[in-house]
Amino acid sequence: MSESSTSVDLVANLRHEIGRLSPGDRLPSSRDLVARYRVSPVTVSRAIATLVTEGVVVTRPGSGTYVAARKKAGANVAQTSWQTVALTDRAVDTRLVSESPGPPQPGTILLDGGYLHRSLQPTKALGSALARAARRPDAWDRAPTTGLAALRSIFASAVGGSVIADDVLVTAGGQSGLSMAFRAIAGPGSPVLVESPTYPGALAAARAAGLRPVPVPMDDAGIRPDLLADAFDLTGARLLYCQPTYHNPTGLTLAQERRQEIIDVAHAAGAFVLEDDFARNLGHGGHTPPPLITDDANGTVVYLTSLTKPAAPSLRIGALIARGPVMSRLRAIRMVDDFFVARPLQDAAVELLSSPSWDRHLRSLASALRERCEVLAGAIARERPDWVIGRHPTGGLHLWVQLPRGADDAQVADAARRHGVALSTGRHFFATEPPAPYLRLAFAATVDSTELTAAARRLAGL
């Protein structure tokens, strides 16, 4: 583990310890902290310096480190009550922040993650790619609005079909692409159809754009075309947001016989399909169907993909692919939002995707995700037989679990957190009231498969 990450862990542990002390109490000596946490003196010095900067502790040369006086309630607090009246527009869903349980306690096993654990990331390849990108003579020049030509060509080739580089707009990750697409396609106040359940970040982005999410039920084969047609007729919606491959949170893949039907239903309604293909590179080793856009002959599908999930959280590189006037809208929004995506990141993405190490990483990742999925599913079946796992996914990062009738997913998640396991409640994945209590369990954010088994054992004691 790196020195910096160890220092962050030590700061978190010391904050927890300081919370049990009173102002003026002396912290253990540096020598004691080195022995207790098995870290270096440099790590201890960095952690103490961080806490001093935050005003949590004070140091007295020759004496030691002491808990600082608590700030009095109300002291130096801005009077902001007037903002409640000024912020009358509730389009931005603040529940994503206000309902967050906060950082987990040390030792908590993370089953609520949406990214790969560091051990699954191609960190060496990423470092090499970024170093090569930084050495380019034009590394800090302005990038084209639509993205580097080489990167757009790579994205177009990965999708295949009739997609060409001119159809590609490079984005700062998938979430940025979602926000751009919602604002480009639908006007404020418009309905947008979504799978039920669906990705909470998409619901938040749609509402922030002034749109009204309308749920369309799914079954084991994906979104139901018959109910989708009814929803278009009833609402007059001109946009469907969907995840046909390795759906988040259920892990389902849209059945082959429904793929063209979904496109045809949307086209008949004069509507767009926003295909979120975030998990394209997260398959578990089996066959991954091609994107919907490869079967689209009318410009109905706007395609979104990202490198963030299969690579690393801070590789904020994605792509929107569209044909026709909607691409002009997307490019215009890019000029309003941020002009272009940082060139060094784009160059690094080109270096990474062009390297043989990328294909090796994807093969290794598929094997690791398959193993972790099987381990967690088996452990949950043994330790919590009352929790029902839906169809086991063949790709993605999560298991979708239905709780017994009458259970409360929020209470279960709170109890699990007290037992040292962080979970995602199912209610956040529904645009309206959930039909049953669910949990989403991530199997890619833990250190290894051993932690997944340990988490299931802890959940058995709820």
Side-chain angles (χ1 to χ4, degrees), residues 143-164:
T145 297
T146 54
L148 298 181
L151 184 55
R152 290 188 288 118
S153 295
I154 291 174
F155 277 122
S157 297
V159 172
S162 60
V163 172
I164 61 175

Side-chain angles (χ1 to χ4, degrees), residues 353-403:
L353 298 179
S354 303
S355 168
S357 62
W358 179 244
D359 288 335
R360 291 197 298 269
H361 163 66
L362 293 182
R363 290 194 296 270
S364 173
L365 180 61
S367 177
L369 293 179
R370 181 174 63 251
E371 176 191 355
R372 284 167 174 250
C373 181
E374 293 171 353
V375 168
L376 182 58
I380 292 296
R382 289 192 306 272
E383 305 291 349
R384 295 300 319 213
D386 55 329
W387 293 9
V388 178
I389 301 174
R391 179 179 293 183
H392 287 209
T394 58
L397 308 174
H398 313 102
L399 290 177
W400 186 236
V401 176
Q402 183 172 345
L403 299 176

Side-chain angles (χ1 to χ4, degrees), residues 229-250:
D230 291 343
F232 274 126
D233 289 340
L234 289 171
T235 65
R238 292 295 178 263
L239 175 61
L240 163 68
Y241 166 77
C242 63
Q243 306 165 84
T245 306
Y246 312 139
H247 174 268
N248 178 17
T250 66

